[in-house]
Amino acid sequence: TAVSIRIRRLREGPTYSGALVLVPGEIRLRHARRLLRQAPFICFIAPERDVAYASADARIWRAPSGSAVLSLEEALTYLGAEGEWAVERPPVRSTVPRLLAAATGTREPDWLLLARLKPAEKRSLDLIGDWPWVRADHLAALLGVERRRVSQLTASLEHHDLLTDHRIEGRRRFVLSDRGLALLARRDRASVAAARKRWSAEPLDPEAPRGWRNLRGGRTRQLLRHLVHTEAVHGFLAALADQARSNGSELGQVEPPHRASRYFRFQDRLRSVQPDAFGVLRCDGRAQPFFLEWERRAIRPSTMAAKLAPYLRYYSSKRPLEDHGAIPLVLIAFEDELAADHFLRVAREEQVRTGVSLPLRVSDRSALEARGPLGYAWRTISRAAAGSVFG
DNA sequence: ACGTGAACTACTAGGGTCTA
DNA sequence: TAGACCCTAGTAGTTCACGT
């Protein structure tokens, strides 16, 4: 039927001096020859398959009547030499591809980034996303590389417009740009707008001087405002990573506050612990999780007790073990030794009062700086002399 | 305290060739 | 056909040196 329709169109259409007709298959070939016998023009018919496979001088073209089989050249001489060959329009792309970014000097489109970034760059991007305002030297420790390598990685990320660096209090510090935030948010299938609202490092007023008051992101503002605290937490984790590497263990996982919090039900109310960091230290096949609190504000006994309360609730349940597979330590570091002393006393009282025992380790800045997080820098409520974290 | 070019090492995946 | 071997390209990271 399809052959009939097309041949009818051929007959009823414009006047041809001749035609080459291709038909699929033997049966259609016979059918077409019968239909074209009365055609008002010369034509030759050949099966599609033969046309596709044969060369120009293969004898495959038949007239509708008669048994002669002609080659393409012979058939064309019958079709009439006068007139003009149809000229195909040269193919033109309907849409011309855009110039490559490299050619125009503009930055690459967002969707190329994930393919273009190297694994080491993505790791750096993640770390800077987790710890905004991180110092270059802390970043080096967390990544486990030399300063030259940090410079290479951040230069590349900066080139892609994914992070910005700021010189604050004499040190170079990194934050993600809005483009970097968007990249991570999209990767995590999270809201880009929400990420910007929390973590943007763009100034609210581009004219005004930079500073924590002039930041778009709520969390980045808070972290910059309390830079001493922010830096102390980074410094602790960096020192821990360094020290772990040098003694054969490994800081396997570090989570920033927004992933370190744990929510749980206690006496039918939703409660939570909100540490400054959560991490897992791996040494000789054992994994030791820990929460970190870097404490500056809990100075009075009542604020110290208030600080402790969420942890006492959390550790009164089975949740710490169920959440982590091992009981996480609660590491609490103070700016000065005296506060640590007070805290230990308050902690002892609170544990007796509530009957909950906390795997508490307490230290202070000077002890940590002198001996390091894995050194003899930690005291417990039952041990006045400083021991190691696992002691 | 930091930035960066040059030259280097180490390691890996993938491919090709040869041989028992 | 498996295995030994070699080559290449790419990535990761270091060291040194020379700046600002």
Side-chain angles (χ1 to χ4, degrees):
Chain A
T1 312
V3 170
S4 310
I5 291 168
R6 287 199 194 141
I7 286 173
R8 200 184 317 136
R9 283 204 195 126
L10 209 54
R11 283 203 193 113
E12 293 164 0
T15 313
Y16 297 90
S17 60
L20 292 174
V21 180
L22 277 67
V23 289
E26 264 325 297
I27 298 176
R28 303 261 174 90
L29 179 69
R30 265 179 268 134
H31 184 47
R33 289 183 78 184
R34 200 170 57 249
L35 286 170
L36 282 168
R37 247 166 230 158
Q38 296 94 36
F41 50 82
I42 303 168
C43 61
F44 294 98
I45 309 166
E48 258 178 10
R49 200 193 43 181
D50 289 356
V51 175
Y53 286 122
S55 59
D57 47 4
R59 296 179 179 278
I60 52 172
W61 297 96
R62 298 160 191 279
S65 54
S67 57
V69 191
L70 308 175
S71 73
L72 183 60
E73 268 178 65
E74 290 164 343
L76 287 176
T77 59
Y78 281 101
L79 289 182
E82 78 279 10
E84 283 176 19
W85 288 106
V87 179
E88 269 188 84
R89 268 191 300 157
V92 179
R93 289 192 93 111
S94 55
T95 54
V96 179
R98 276 172 298 172
L99 285 172
L100 293 176
T104 56
T106 54
R107 70 182 190 183
E108 282 180 344
D110 288 352
W111 44 266
L112 267 182
L113 273 175
L114 283 171
R116 192 68 94 229
L117 295 179
K118 317 233 178 314
E121 289 162 350
K122 291 179 184 171
R123 248 181 294 141
S124 316
L125 200 68
D126 274 331
L127 272 176
I128 295 166
D130 281 351
W131 308 101
W133 310 116
V134 66
R135 263 162 48 179
D137 55 333
H138 291 159
L139 187 59
L142 290 171
L143 283 167
V145 297
E146 292 299 309
R147 82 182 178 98
R148 181 68 185 92
R149 184 64 181 146
V150 171
S151 182
Q152 283 174 355
L153 291 168
T154 54
S156 161
L157 292 174
E158 225 163 331
H159 175 75
H160 283 112
D161 202 9
L162 292 170
L163 63 81
T164 53
D165 65 334
H166 301 266
R167 195 160 205 90
I168 303 164
E169 293 185 3
R171 295 304 198 104
R172 192 184 182 208
R173 297 172 145 90
F174 301 109
V175 260
L176 295 190
S177 67
D178 277 10
R179 191 177 192 220
L181 289 175
L183 181 77
L184 293 192
R186 295 211 178 91
R187 182 199 63 184
D188 297 340
R189 307 284 196 273
S191 155
V192 173
R196 289 212 172 123
K197 198 174 164 207
R198 277 190 174 191
W199 300 107
S200 176
E202 293 293 314
L204 285 166
D205 176 3
E207 306 299 316
R210 276 211 319 265
W212 65 266
R213 272 174 243 271
N214 188 17
L215 271 182
R216 196 168 292 278
R219 291 283 294 139
T220 35
R221 189 184 311 144
Q222 209 179 358
L223 289 168
L224 188 58
R225 184 182 182 186
H226 305 297
L227 188 61
V228 178
H229 178 258
T230 305
E231 195 173 57
V233 174
H234 297 175
F236 178 90
L237 295 171
L240 184 58
D242 262 344
Q243 216 177 0
R245 245 188 305 278
S246 63
N247 83 357
S249 43
E250 183 203 359
L251 182 57
Q253 178 192 348
V254 241
E255 308 285 359
H258 54 283
R259 286 202 307 275
S261 54
R262 303 282 182 264
Y263 288 81
F264 55 97
R265 247 179 211 286
F266 181 82
Q267 292 175 352
D268 267 349
R269 290 182 62 182
L270 185 64
R271 302 285 191 166
S272 64
V273 287
Q274 307 277 351
D276 292 320
F278 170 80
V280 179
L281 194 67
R282 266 177 255 286
C283 62
D284 41 75
R286 208 163 61 101
Q288 176 60 63
F290 65 86
F291 292 113
L292 173 71
E293 290 270 1
W294 193 280
E295 221 17 83
R296 299 158 305 138
R297 278 176 300 188
I299 302 300
R300 300 207 320 275
S302 60
T303 49
M304 284 181 173
K307 192 81 213 173
L308 218 43
Y311 286 97
L312 288 167
R313 291 189 205 108
Y314 186 53
Y315 280 83
S316 72
S317 67
K318 288 195 176 64
R319 279 287 303 274
L321 182 64
E322 286 170 0
D323 284 350
H324 310 96
I327 303 267
L329 297 173
V330 181
L331 309 181
I332 304 190
F334 287 87
E335 286 291 337
D336 66 297
E337 200 181 343
L338 207 63
D341 284 339
H342 289 163
F343 186 80
L344 277 170
R345 201 170 54 246
V346 173
R348 193 179 303 118
E349 287 164 13
E350 288 297 303
Q351 291 191 49
V352 169
R353 187 178 65 78
T354 55
V356 179
S357 90
L358 278 183
L360 206 58
R361 304 287 184 274
V362 177
S363 188
D364 58 272
R365 187 187 276 275
S366 66
L368 286 169
E369 274 171 8
R371 292 183 279 279
L374 291 181
Y376 288 151
W378 301 94
R379 291 183 288 161
T380 69
I381 54 166
S382 57
R383 190 186 61 202
S388 79
V389 203
F390 303 116

